[in-house]
Amino acid sequence: SPVIQDLYVDNAETHLFPFQIANKLFMTYAIPVEDDQGVRGYVILGFELNKFVVKEIKESIRTDISFFVDTDLKASSLARKQRFALEDWITKDVQIDSSRFMNENASALVNLGEEQFLVSFVKIDLTQKIYYILASSYTAEFKTFSDIQKIIALIGGAAILLGLAFGFSFARTI
């Protein structure tokens, strides 16, 4: 079987690895079956990485995640508009600078729709060019800080106006 031939497994260890079958991406486990003479075979269990699994992963890690094979998006927890923007960015910008993104784990600040995201590439399998992308909304994360900055600016402006008003009123009495 081609699946078994491509399987990389060390003796007596369980391995987690991605595998693409019929344009679908699966995360599979290879569990050795052994007896007193050694490993006799492997039980392979797996699940498809689809939108339901990706949603569960997002809830656990609290950041968006997308799975790609080369430049083909297989599953993503991003909103539709952001997902399309990520696919567009992958096919255009990442292909141009593929040595930076495809051959090593890397991060970039990317505009996806109306938000800016910190995007991190993590390779899963080099032979099949399978990787996942973690995308954290830079805009949403720093919105709180931006709101605090605006409040501080308003308080500072109000303090200056009050200071001027009190200053003029005290100056009149002199």
Side-chain angles (χ1 to χ4, degrees), residues 17-67:
F17 63 96
F19 209 85
Q20 183 174 339
I21 302 172
N23 205 28
K24 292 183 180 183
L25 186 61
F26 292 85
M27 191 58 72
T28 53
Y29 297 89
I31 305 164
V33 177
E34 54 186 316
D35 60 13
D36 56 345
Q37 295 178 0
V39 177
R40 294 295 185 157
Y42 295 90
V43 173
I44 299 175
L45 304 171
F47 55 91
E48 181 184 355
L49 286 169
N50 57 28
K51 63 182 179 181
F52 303 110
V53 172
V54 171
K55 181 181 173 191
E56 291 294 322
I57 294 171
K58 177 184 177 175
E59 289 176 9
S60 296
I61 64 174
R62 295 183 181 183
T63 191
D64 283 294
I65 187 165
S66 302
F67 289 89

Side-chain angles (χ1 to χ4, degrees), residues 122-161:
V122 181
K123 293 176 295 194
I124 302 173
D125 185 312
L126 288 177
T127 59
Q128 299 182 70
K129 292 186 179 179
I130 298 174
Y131 55 97
Y132 65 89
I133 294 177
L134 297 172
S136 298
S137 175
Y138 190 78
T139 307
E141 293 293 327
F142 288 99
K143 185 178 182 327
T144 304
F145 295 116
S146 176
D147 291 345
I148 291 171
Q149 190 176 25
K150 288 175 187 173
I151 291 169
I152 290 171
L154 286 173
I155 291 171
I160 289 171
L161 290 175

